[in-house]
């Protein structure tokens, strides 16, 4: 019996050390992984946020707006099941430079025609949620860029968006 107690005593001493290794180390690794993921998602470890990385090909900081061309509001009928609804969209185009602005202003009738055709072919279900609006924005931007020339129009902004 004395021998059995001696054998059990060293195991009890090693037991807290084993607990530390088997529980503490994985918990520490999980905490480190969570901290690293949090820093990554918050951008603390992201080095592309430097001022050089924000520079666009025009030499302008991407946070600065370029020249803006405001378009007239567009009002079109869109189909929703058996009824007709109205879609009113206000658009402002951001262009690369003042020369691009002049070029876009000369093409306003072409751009207006393309925008009206694109908007008129939409259904209510296509524009009722955020994903549909973002898809519409991407389609409009692609069409306007194809008319204006590559690099002329840098972005498109909805200044008004009403579905009734």
């Amino acid at each position: 019996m004395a021998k059995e107690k001696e054998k059990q005593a060293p195991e009890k001493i090693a037991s807290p050390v084993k607990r530390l290794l088997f529980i503490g180390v994985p918990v520490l690794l999980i905490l480190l992984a969570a901290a690293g993921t949090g820093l990554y998602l918050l951008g603390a470890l992201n080095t592309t946020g430097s001022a050089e990385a924000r520079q666009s090909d025009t030499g302008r900081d991407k946070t600065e707006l370029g020249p803006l061309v405001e378009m007239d509001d567009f009002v079109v009928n869109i189909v929703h099941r058996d009824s007709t609804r109205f879609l009113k969209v206000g658009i402002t185009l951001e262009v690369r430079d003042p020369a691009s602005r002049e070029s876009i202003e000369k093409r306003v009738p072409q751009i207006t025609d393309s925008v009206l055709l694109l908007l008129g072919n939409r259904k209510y279900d296509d524009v009722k949620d955020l994903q549909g609006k973002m898809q519409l924005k991407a389609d409009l931007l692609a069409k306007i860029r194809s008319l204006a020339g590559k690099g002329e129009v840098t972005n498109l902004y909805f200044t008004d968006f009403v579905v009734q």
Side-chain angles (χ1 to χ4, degrees):
M1 287 251 219
K3 289 182 181 182
E4 289 179 17
K5 288 182 182 178
E6 289 176 14
K7 287 182 183 178
Q8 289 178 357
E11 289 179 17
K12 288 183 180 177
I13 295 173
S15 181
V17 173
K18 285 183 182 179
R19 280 189 194 151
L20 180 65
L21 289 175
F22 287 118
I23 295 174
V25 171
V27 169
L28 180 65
L29 290 175
I30 290 171
L31 289 174
L32 286 174
T37 303
L39 288 173
Y40 176 75
L41 292 176
L42 291 175
L45 299 178
N46 189 1
T47 58
T48 61
S50 64
E52 294 84 20
R54 285 192 311 263
Q55 292 292 323
S56 66
D57 57 353
T58 60
R60 187 176 70 232
D61 191 343
K62 287 183 181 178
T63 58
E64 294 178 20
L65 281 175
L68 299 175
V69 177
E70 290 187 37
M71 306 283 295
D72 290 335
D73 288 346
F74 300 95
V75 179
V76 296
N77 296 330
I78 58 174
V79 178
H80 178 62
R81 296 188 181 106
D82 295 334
S83 64
T84 301
R85 291 183 175 244
F86 297 97
L87 172 64
K88 178 183 176 187
V89 178
I91 296 175
T92 298
L93 303 174
E94 180 183 359
V95 296
R96 182 179 53 186
D97 52 27
S100 297
R101 181 183 179 141
E102 292 176 16
S103 172
I104 295 297
E105 287 175 347
K106 290 178 185 175
R107 294 187 175 270
V108 166
Q110 289 176 318
I111 293 170
T112 300
D113 179 59
S114 295
V115 169
L116 287 172
L117 290 174
L118 270 172
L119 293 175
N121 285 329
R122 298 295 165 148
K123 296 179 179 147
Y124 173 74
D125 293 332
D126 296 338
V127 296
K128 69 179 179 181
D129 58 0
L130 179 62
Q131 182 180 359
K133 291 172 185 159
M134 296 303 290
Q135 183 61 47
L136 176 62
K137 181 177 180 176
D139 293 346
L140 286 170
L141 189 57
K143 184 62 177 175
I144 291 170
R145 282 179 174 164
S146 72
L147 291 171
K150 189 173 182 176
E152 296 288 320
V153 178
T154 58
N155 209 343
L156 178 142
Y157 303 102
F158 288 134
T159 55
D160 195 12
F161 201 98
V162 178
V163 180
Q164 183 175 345

